[in-house]
Amino acid sequence: MGKVYPEIDGRLRDFIVAQPLFFVATAPSGAEGHINVSPKGMRGTFVILDAHRVAYLDYHGSGAETIAHLRDNGRITLMFCAFDGPPKIVRLHGRGSSVAVTEDAFADRLAEFPAPPDVHAVRAVITVEVERVSDSCGYAVPLMDFRAERDLLLTSHSRRSTDDLVDYRATRNAASIDGLPVF
């Protein structure tokens, strides 16, 4: 039932950008360590740069597994599910990299997002060089209605100063749960 595509074409692009939620999966190298799967959302935080490259804004959060795993081995998968309309799942497998807010290239990466929400608490831009594009049926994915975006991430970080966010990265996002360095 699934299909592998040579690139992110127009039809896949339309499907991907219509989804209000996607999932990011990464893992450290070797047999040990924790696999990480994170839900991502908020309109304006994901962009398709070309047929083989996508990016998303990575906000300060409770952990920083994705950045640590990308530094370790670069492997990443993004998954988009249809929760309404015809059933479909699209996966983008590839190699990812992060550009932290403290790096010179950050402003250039941020400029690739045409309509981002408040970027005060963005800690990095994650870019994925897509090596494999595939879909599957999604027949067991439930039908759900989208009600609204949550603004809690933005409002909670709006109370933090730039210095607070520097401290947050140093104290709460310095290492992954397996001890891998993040920044």
Side-chain angles (χ1 to χ4, degrees):
M1 283 190 203
K3 181 177 177 182
V4 176
Y5 299 87
E7 63 186 22
I8 303 168
D9 64 18
R11 191 172 55 85
L12 289 171
R13 174 186 293 269
D14 292 346
F15 173 80
I16 289 168
V17 299
Q19 305 314 309
L21 168 72
F22 65 98
F23 299 88
V24 175
T26 59
S29 297
E32 300 300 317
H34 294 83
I35 297 168
N36 186 61
V37 179
S38 295
K40 304 292 180 187
M42 290 197 305
R43 294 282 177 207
T45 62
F46 179 85
V47 64
I48 297 175
L49 300 168
D50 62 41
H52 294 280
R53 200 162 60 97
V54 300
Y56 71 89
L57 300 177
D58 184 59
Y59 285 79
H60 287 80
S62 56
E65 303 308 299
T66 299
I67 296 171
H69 294 163
L70 293 180
R71 287 185 59 173
D72 181 47
N73 60 43
R75 297 177 304 164
I76 188 168
T77 300
L78 284 68
M79 183 178 76
F80 302 82
C81 299
F83 293 106
D84 65 356
K88 186 178 196 77
I89 298 170
V90 172
R91 289 179 182 86
L92 306 177
H93 301 262
R95 296 281 172 192
S97 61
S98 67
V99 175
V101 64
T102 56
E103 296 179 52
D104 292 339
F106 180 77
D108 291 337
R109 296 291 74 78
L110 188 58
E112 295 173 328
F113 294 81
D118 183 1
V119 296
H120 167 67
V122 173
R123 66 181 169 195
V125 173
I126 306 296
T127 303
V128 179
E129 300 295 329
V130 178
E131 300 169 343
R132 185 177 192 270
V133 180
S134 65
D135 70 6
S136 56
C137 66
Y139 289 169
V141 175
L143 289 169
M144 296 189 290
D145 295 321
F146 176 75
R147 290 191 349 223
E149 299 273 350
R150 292 182 196 246
D151 67 353
L152 294 173
L153 182 66
L154 297 178
T155 58
S156 69
H157 287 313
S158 70
R159 298 185 292 268
R160 293 188 167 105
S161 69
T162 301
D163 289 341
D164 292 337
L165 293 173
V166 169
D167 182 61
Y168 192 100
R169 287 191 302 276
T171 60
R172 297 185 187 183
N173 291 164
S176 75
I177 58 176
D178 297 316
L180 295 171
V182 176
F183 295 106

